[in-house]
């Protein structure tokens, strides 16, 4: 009996070592093949070699060839889950596109990679049990972190005190470069009801500057009392977004400004000519406009509004002053909240100047957000797939800014809660996979309340 058990154990060891040997051979062959396909050189090539040698492609790139052992019963389902979760959390193909073309490099991808390196999370320990040698060395980590820091520099706001390429969040600059004459026209149009079909709705109706850039409603009220299908995001700091709307269907502020006027539920104009005809009847406006633009048309109208919206940034929050060196600008509770914010990697998606607005993320990485919500799915719940048609974009939304969040309730695309504490708990549950104590949640809330900034030199407040 003992001899039989020893034989079985020996066979098990031989099988395990054989699997490990095969896996490592497969890893090296695949890494070399993938690296050659990138046609990279220099430091960029070295970065991708570390990524491939670490096996990131297995869980973070769809359609990657997998080792044969992953097809075994139980393991096949485990790997299928890991790939689905991994590609939602970090898509290696998207990252590679950014390495190959820096114009496509994502600030969020840099942030996510930095945090997993710093936390020694890449690759997972159970992966390393089979794929020996896949863990990056100290030299590999140093190479990646140096490359990340160098590439983050291009995202830093120019001429702004307190920036740090090694830190994931940055202070808001005091101002952006704008054309003052266009700004004046845009501000006028932003508050002009003639962009709507019956004159009753302005841009300002849904994005109220005295109320955090929102209207405080679950969904906004448009022309003829119609209700929109999704919670209106704040207009403040939208200039820092990499795209506009929850689904990112507008590439620029001007593109975004062109949507609501012709939306039958929002502003309800029939076409741009209807709007242009009304504006051209206003001789004073017409003369002022034609001094700046060659004509009154859809492009010049939306350009003017976009130029005005570039001024809707909110610098000099308590947290900005803290980043600039005033260590007494925020309370001890807020400092602890910021520490927890970083520890839980909230600053990876809520990164950069606006602390958001730089990526599309899947809502419900660690739980079924929509099933738990307990209400039927709506078109608004589809997310980015509504624009792209790509099944992988189902339930993906542009990450909202955290700037002025204490003023912008209700929260989420579906206005699920107006309680900031509850919003924090939901994010921890579904995006981080953790449950923190009530005290820790209150610390994070104290930190988020320091993100309220100034507009035209005055701290933003919310009118009741």
């Amino acid at each position: 009996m003992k001899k039989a058990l020893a034989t079985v154990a020996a066979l098990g060891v031989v099988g395990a070592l054989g699997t490990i040997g095969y896996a490592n051979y497969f890893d090296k062959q695949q890494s070399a093949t993938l690296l050659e396909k990138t046609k990279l050189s220099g430091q960029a090539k070295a970065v991708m070699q570390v990524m491939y040698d670490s096996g990131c492609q297995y869980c973070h790139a769809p359609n990657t060839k997998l080792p044969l052992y992953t097809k075994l019963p139980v393991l096949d389902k485990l790997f299928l889950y890991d790939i689905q979760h991994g590609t939602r959390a970090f898509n290696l193909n998207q990252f590679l596109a950014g390495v190959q073309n820096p114009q496509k490099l994502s600030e969020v991808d840099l942030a996510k990679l930095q945090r997993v390196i710093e936390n020694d999370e890449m690759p997972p320990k159970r992966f390393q049990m089979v794929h020996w040698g896949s863990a990056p060395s100290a030299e590999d980590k140093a190479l990646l972190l140096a490359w990340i820091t160098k590439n983050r520099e291009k995202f830093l706001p120019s001429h702004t005190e307190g920036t740090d390429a090694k830190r994931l969040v940055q202070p808001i600059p005091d101002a952006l470069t704008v054309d003052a004459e266009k700004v004046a026209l845009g501000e006028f149009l932003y508050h002009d009801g003639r962009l709507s079909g019956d004159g009753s709705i302005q841009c300002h109706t849904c994005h109220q500057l005295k109320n955090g850039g929102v209207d405080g409603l679950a969904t906004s009220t448009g022309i003829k009392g119609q209700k929109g299908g999704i919670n209106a995001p704040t207009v403040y700091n939208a200039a820092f977004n990499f795209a506009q709307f929850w689904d990112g269907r507008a590439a620029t502020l001007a593109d975004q400004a062109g949507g609501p006027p012709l939306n039958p539920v929002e502003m309800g104009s029939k076409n741009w000519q209807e709007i242009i005809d009304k504006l051209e009847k206003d001789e004073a406006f017409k003369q002022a406009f034609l001094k700046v633009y060659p004509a009154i048309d859809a492009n010049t109208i939306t350009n003017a509004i976009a130029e005005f919206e570039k001024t809707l940034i909110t610098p000099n929050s308590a947290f900005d002053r803290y980043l600039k060196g005033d260590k007494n600008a925020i309370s001890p509770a807020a400092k602890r909240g910021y520490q927890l914010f970083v520890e839980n990697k909230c600053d990876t998606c809520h990164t950069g100047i606006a602390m958001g607005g730089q990526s599309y993320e899947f809502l419900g990485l660690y739980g079924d957000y929509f099933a738990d919500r307990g209400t039927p799915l709506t078109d608004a719940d589809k997310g980015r797939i509504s624009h792209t048609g790509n099944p992988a974009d189902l339930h993906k939304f542009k990450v909202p800014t955290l700037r002025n969040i204490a003023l912008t309730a209700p929260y989420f695309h579906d206005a699920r809660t107006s309680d900031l504490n509850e919003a924090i708990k939901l994010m921890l549950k579904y995006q981080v996979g953790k449950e923190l104590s009530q005290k820790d949640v209150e610390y994070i809330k104290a930190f988020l309340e320091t993100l309220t900034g100034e507009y035209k030199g005055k701290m933003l407040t919310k009118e009741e």
Side-chain angles (χ1 to χ4, degrees):
M1 184 66 177
K2 290 182 179 180
K3 185 176 181 180
L5 290 174
T7 300
V8 170
L11 289 174
V13 170
V14 170
L17 291 174
T19 300
I20 291 168
Y22 160 74
N24 281 269
Y25 173 78
F26 186 92
D27 291 347
K28 290 178 181 178
Q29 293 293 111
Q30 186 184 72
S31 178
T33 300
L34 292 174
L35 191 62
E36 184 178 359
K37 287 181 179 179
T38 67
K39 302 186 185 305
L40 293 169
S41 61
Q43 193 174 37
K45 181 178 180 180
V47 166
M48 289 311 302
Q49 178 159 9
V50 174
M51 301 295 284
Y52 289 140
D53 286 351
S54 299
C56 301
Q57 65 273 14
Y58 292 129
C59 295
H60 294 283
N63 304 317
T64 297
K65 184 178 179 181
L66 301 174
L68 289 175
Y69 78 84
T70 63
K71 302 183 186 301
L72 295 173
V74 180
L75 286 179
D76 58 346
K77 293 183 175 58
L78 181 61
F79 259 83
L80 183 64
Y81 170 81
D82 285 346
I83 292 168
Q84 183 185 60
H85 181 83
T87 53
R88 285 172 174 174
F90 181 88
N91 191 304
L92 187 62
N93 290 346
Q94 174 185 294
F95 177 75
L96 172 60
V99 176
Q100 293 172 321
N101 179 2
Q103 296 300 317
K104 296 181 179 180
L105 192 59
S106 165
E107 191 171 7
V108 173
D109 283 349
L110 293 177
K112 289 179 177 180
L113 184 56
Q114 178 174 330
R115 282 285 177 257
V116 298
I117 295 169
E118 292 173 339
N119 297 341
D120 195 25
E121 297 172 349
M122 182 189 78
K125 302 302 180 187
R126 61 184 174 87
F127 181 86
Q128 295 180 44
M129 290 175 65
V130 175
H131 299 261
W132 288 4
S134 60
S137 66
E139 291 78 11
D140 291 336
K141 292 179 181 180
L143 183 149
L144 290 177
L145 290 174
W147 180 85
I148 289 168
T149 299
K150 178 181 176 181
N151 281 274
R152 183 175 290 122
E153 289 176 353
K154 74 175 186 177
F155 296 102
L156 299 181
S158 59
H159 310 295
T160 301
E161 183 185 359
T163 60
D164 184 348
K166 293 183 179 180
R167 192 180 58 230
L168 275 55
V169 297
Q170 309 298 334
I172 292 181
D174 291 334
L176 298 178
T177 301
V178 294
D179 183 313
E181 290 182 313
K182 291 181 179 180
V183 167
L185 292 170
E187 183 172 12
F188 182 84
L189 289 166
Y190 188 85
H191 296 86
D192 195 329
R194 288 175 294 187
L195 271 64
S196 66
D198 62 5
S200 65
I201 306 295
Q202 312 163 1
C203 301
H204 188 260
T205 303
C206 303
H207 302 284
Q208 300 169 18
L209 302 187
K210 292 185 178 180
N211 284 304
V214 298
D215 55 15
L217 303 174
T219 59
S220 299
T221 303
I223 192 170
K224 299 178 182 178
Q226 297 179 90
K227 298 296 291 183
I230 199 165
N231 182 237
T234 180
V235 70
Y236 281 119
N237 302 305
F240 300 121
N241 291 339
F242 81 138
Q244 307 299 328
F245 293 115
W246 284 100
D247 60 8
R249 64 185 182 273
T252 66
L253 287 173
D255 291 339
Q256 187 281 326
L262 304 189
N263 187 306
V265 175
E266 296 181 41
M267 301 178 82
S269 288
K270 296 176 183 177
N271 50 54
W272 278 105
Q273 194 58 52
E274 179 185 37
I275 296 170
I276 293 165
D277 289 344
K278 286 187 284 187
L279 293 175
E280 286 188 332
K281 289 178 182 178
D282 183 340
E283 195 61 33
F285 173 81
K286 182 178 179 180
Q287 290 182 16
F289 198 89
L290 294 180
K291 286 182 179 179
V292 181
Y293 290 101
I296 300 176
D297 57 33
N299 290 332
T300 54
I301 290 169
T302 56
N303 179 271
I305 294 172
E307 197 72 2
F308 167 62
E309 290 181 345
K310 290 178 185 176
T311 70
L312 301 180
I313 63 175
T314 59
N316 206 36
S317 69
F319 183 61
D320 286 330
R321 298 195 299 274
Y322 175 75
L323 294 181
K324 292 177 181 180
D326 182 357
K327 300 309 177 186
N328 296 317
I330 63 176
S331 68
K335 291 177 184 177
R336 175 57 181 153
Y338 178 44
Q339 182 182 13
L340 289 165
F341 186 81
V342 171
E343 287 176 359
N344 289 283
K345 299 193 291 188
C346 306
D347 60 348
T348 57
C349 296
H350 293 287
T351 196
I353 298 169
M355 300 177 68
Q358 303 305 312
S359 68
Y360 308 106
E361 301 295 339
F362 182 81
L363 182 54
L365 282 175
Y366 294 95
D368 195 327
Y369 175 90
F370 296 99
D372 293 350
R373 188 180 66 184
T375 56
L377 291 173
T378 68
D379 285 343
D381 294 324
K382 293 178 180 178
R384 184 151 172 76
I385 191 176
S386 298
H387 176 59
T388 66
N390 184 350
D393 287 331
L394 179 64
H395 303 323
K396 280 189 176 181
F397 300 87
K398 184 181 66 137
V399 175
T401 176
L402 293 183
R403 296 291 187 170
N404 310 304
I405 192 171
L407 308 178
T408 58
Y411 305 113
F412 303 100
H413 76 284
D414 56 0
R416 183 163 175 178
T417 181
S418 291
D419 184 332
L420 187 51
N421 276 326
E422 180 64 19
I424 294 167
K425 292 176 182 178
L426 288 170
M427 279 286 94
L428 286 166
K429 177 179 180 179
Y430 293 106
Q431 302 309 111
V432 182
K434 286 187 179 180
E435 181 178 348
L436 298 184
S437 69
Q438 181 61 33
K439 190 66 175 176
D440 283 347
V441 170
E442 290 172 358
Y443 283 139
I444 295 175
K445 180 185 177 185
F447 161 63
L448 295 178
E449 289 173 340
T450 71
L451 301 180
T452 302
E454 296 179 354
Y455 177 57
K456 293 184 176 180
K458 294 183 179 179
M459 189 65 62
L460 285 184
T461 57
K462 189 174 182 67
E463 288 187 348
E464 296 298 331

